[in-house]
Amino acid sequence: MITVPRAVSAPFLQHDPGGFRIESVTAADVAAGLGTPCYVYSAGAVRDAYHRLDAAFGDHPHAIHYALKANSTLAIVRLLRSLGSRVDANSMGEVDVALRCGFAPREIVFTGVGKSAAELARAVTLDVHAINVESPGELERLDQLATAHGVTARVALRVNPDIDAQSHPHISTGLRDNKFGVPIALARSLVGDMARRRGLVPVGIHVHIGSQITLLDPLARAAEAAATLARELLSDGVPLEQLDFGGGLGISYDGAPVPGAGAYVRALVAAAAGSPLALAIEPGRSIVGPAGVLLTTVVDVKQLPGGRRFVVLDAGMTELMRPALYGAFHRIEPARPRAGAAEPADVVGPICESTDRFARDLALAPLEVGDLVVVRDVGAYGAVLGSTYLRRPLPPEALVDGDRWTTIRRRQTLDDLLSLEA
Ligand code: LLP
């Protein structure tokens, strides 16, 4: 039976005698207003995480490019912008979300392992801060595009340092066999080649070895490898501007300690020691992950004779894909625990897939049909990975700030869903 320590996350999301609350708003209040399943985020938790990371750099020249893929609901993106963040976009859709939220093109880095010709052309004409380039072929195409448009493209080369992030294999990107980046051994000559091309301005080196990384050592080694390469390129006379160390810092899903923002930034700054270049990072999960919860209602409790207890929720893999996709663990708690001892339960969703299970053998206080349940740490890669399988409309999202909450995305209706169809 899995027993999880209580109260490991920020004080913005907590139990108190009135039930689980997000800042000063109870989960029950939001659920009553929006229905379940719904996502709820704490603006305070997002601000706190951003400020910790930003403050950890001190006077060191740096830029935080929030990774939109983690959560790109407009209100969240605008909140990040109000804090001074820049963005990392991974598709033209994300670039457009950033522009609509008021970001200037020069505040956007554009990454992606398979950028289409249309996406590259748009990024070039927008003149984004950096296009993180993934292959020699892409460099070639970008040069041709920029030259054809009579402009220059600001490019950073994404290098693959062949370092094991020691995270889940599905979210590790820095090994030689992964599809991401250019082998670091080829990078020096490739950037030299970039510098000689009319359409390209090499501005930096980019490295991102994976996500949910809870050991600083792989992150530091990847940063060191990128910094060493940048030093060589500067000595070759390539006038680089920045080192982009990507995202990847993990969060504690189960209460086990993970490195904080301070230790992470110290490791990166030390890895770049002596480099005159500005440092950029692309954090997603560590900024918004702990700030979000999924509120869901128990629709059935099924006790097999002498066997398992299944707690069936009205949310499943359509709302929160991470457990089905990565075997990811999320804390699950009654919004208002009933008296009684915790017993093991399998917490499952209503979808017709056996992988539609949030937890197995989780120690869970007694729950009855109709009880409200909180799934923690879903602010990153939660709502964005939702699907409408079984014609289930996407859930609404709310943002809490102090004692106020607002709907930042309404529940999709079946009409919304069908409006695309003949
Ligand atoms: N930069 C690049 C180039 C990335 O590919 C990613 C994440 C990030 C930054 C942000 O990484 P973060 O700080 O959030 O770790 N769906 C998975 C996570 C996929 C992450 C993909 N890339 C999950 O649910 O865990």
Side-chain angles (χ1 to χ4, degrees):
M1 177 161 102
I2 302 168
T3 309
V4 180
R6 264 284 163 79
V8 289
S9 80
F12 300 96
L13 300 115
Q14 261 184 357
H15 283 277
D16 74 12
F20 190 89
R21 56 179 179 72
I22 304 98
E23 304 196 26
S24 302
V25 174
T26 63
D29 271 350
V30 184
L34 278 184
T36 60
C38 67
Y39 276 92
V40 191
Y41 311 110
S42 153
V46 173
R47 286 191 198 102
D48 183 63
Y50 181 87
H51 287 318
R52 278 171 201 269
L53 211 46
D54 194 32
F57 279 97
D59 294 335
H60 204 289
H62 68 281
I64 298 179
H65 287 263
Y66 167 65
L68 289 169
K69 56 159 65 95
N71 185 323
S72 59
T73 306
L74 298 174
I76 299 292
V77 181
R78 288 192 204 106
L79 172 61
L80 265 312
R81 180 167 179 269
S82 76
L83 302 177
S85 185
R86 300 175 187 191
V87 288
D88 161 36
N90 265 251
S91 68
M92 220 13 87
E94 287 189 351
V95 169
D96 280 315
V97 162
L99 295 174
R100 286 185 196 205
C101 290
F103 285 95
R106 280 298 179 97
E107 294 173 315
I108 301 173
V109 296
F110 183 40
T111 315
V113 77
K115 305 178 200 77
S116 69
E119 286 181 316
L120 289 177
R122 183 95 196 289
V124 166
T125 47
L126 279 172
D127 194 22
V128 298
H129 179 66
I131 302 174
N132 291 331
V133 170
E134 299 262 353
S135 75
E138 189 172 66
L139 271 182
E140 187 70 48
R141 290 191 290 281
L142 261 177
D143 184 34
Q144 283 167 12
L145 263 170
T147 313
H149 283 88
V151 295
T152 50
R154 296 168 54 83
V155 289
L157 186 68
R158 178 171 182 175
V159 294
N160 183 324
D162 194 21
I163 289 173
D164 184 356
Q166 293 177 57
S167 178
H168 191 287
H170 294 182
I171 48 176
S172 293
T173 55
L175 285 172
R176 194 185 345 187
D177 281 353
N178 295 131
K179 66 181 173 182
F180 301 95
V182 171
I184 196 161
L186 305 181
R188 191 171 178 179
S189 70
L190 213 49
V191 179
D193 174 45
M194 279 156 74
R196 284 186 290 275
R197 286 173 181 259
R198 216 156 31 107
L200 305 180
V201 181
V203 295
I205 297 298
H206 177 235
V207 66
H208 171 82
I209 59 167
S211 192
Q212 184 51 18
I213 303 171
T214 53
L215 298 171
L216 291 181
D217 179 62
L219 287 164
R221 282 191 293 126
E224 251 162 41
T228 303
L229 170 66
R231 221 170 280 125
E232 290 166 1
L233 287 162
L234 287 171
S235 76
D236 294 345
V238 181
L240 298 177
E241 297 170 20
Q242 77 172 28
L243 278 167
D244 181 343
F245 292 149
L249 180 63
I251 62 174
S252 178
Y253 284 104
D254 62 359
V258 297
Y264 167 66
V265 170
R266 277 194 298 280
L268 296 187
V269 170
S275 172
L277 301 181
L279 300 187
I281 52 171
E282 302 167 350
R285 189 189 315 266
S286 56
I287 291 185
V288 293
V293 288
L294 175 64
L295 303 184
T296 164
T297 303
V298 176
V299 293
D300 196 11
V301 179
K302 187 155 72 172
Q303 177 72 60
L304 301 187
R308 293 192 169 276
R309 178 171 64 127
F310 291 101
V311 173
V312 188
L313 304 175
D314 67 358
M317 62 192 286
T318 42
E319 287 70 35
L320 179 65
M321 178 84 95
R322 303 194 69 256
L325 206 51
Y326 311 109
F329 177 82
H330 287 267
R331 286 174 290 156
I332 300 171
E333 302 153 11
R336 196 165 193 166
R338 296 173 179 275
E343 297 281 350
D346 283 10
V347 184
V348 300
I351 314 298
C352 51
E353 308 265 349
S354 289
T355 184
D356 181 35
R357 181 176 60 207
F358 286 168
R360 199 173 162 86
D361 285 332
L362 184 70
L364 208 54
L367 276 168
E368 293 180 13
V369 170
D371 283 0
L372 185 64
V373 166
V374 180
V375 184
R376 295 256 211 160
D377 304 311
V378 297
Y381 309 111
V384 285
L385 281 170
S387 88
T388 57
Y389 183 40
L390 303 188
R391 295 295 198 181
R392 287 167 62 83
L394 296 171
E397 294 168 61
L399 183 63
V400 174
D401 199 352
D403 57 5
R404 293 190 44 233
W405 69 270
T406 46
T407 306
I408 57 172
R409 179 181 163 126
R410 68 168 168 82
R411 186 181 302 282
Q412 192 176 40
T413 64
L414 190 64
D415 284 339
D416 292 333
L417 202 55
L418 299 182
S419 65
L420 304 175
E421 299 179 26

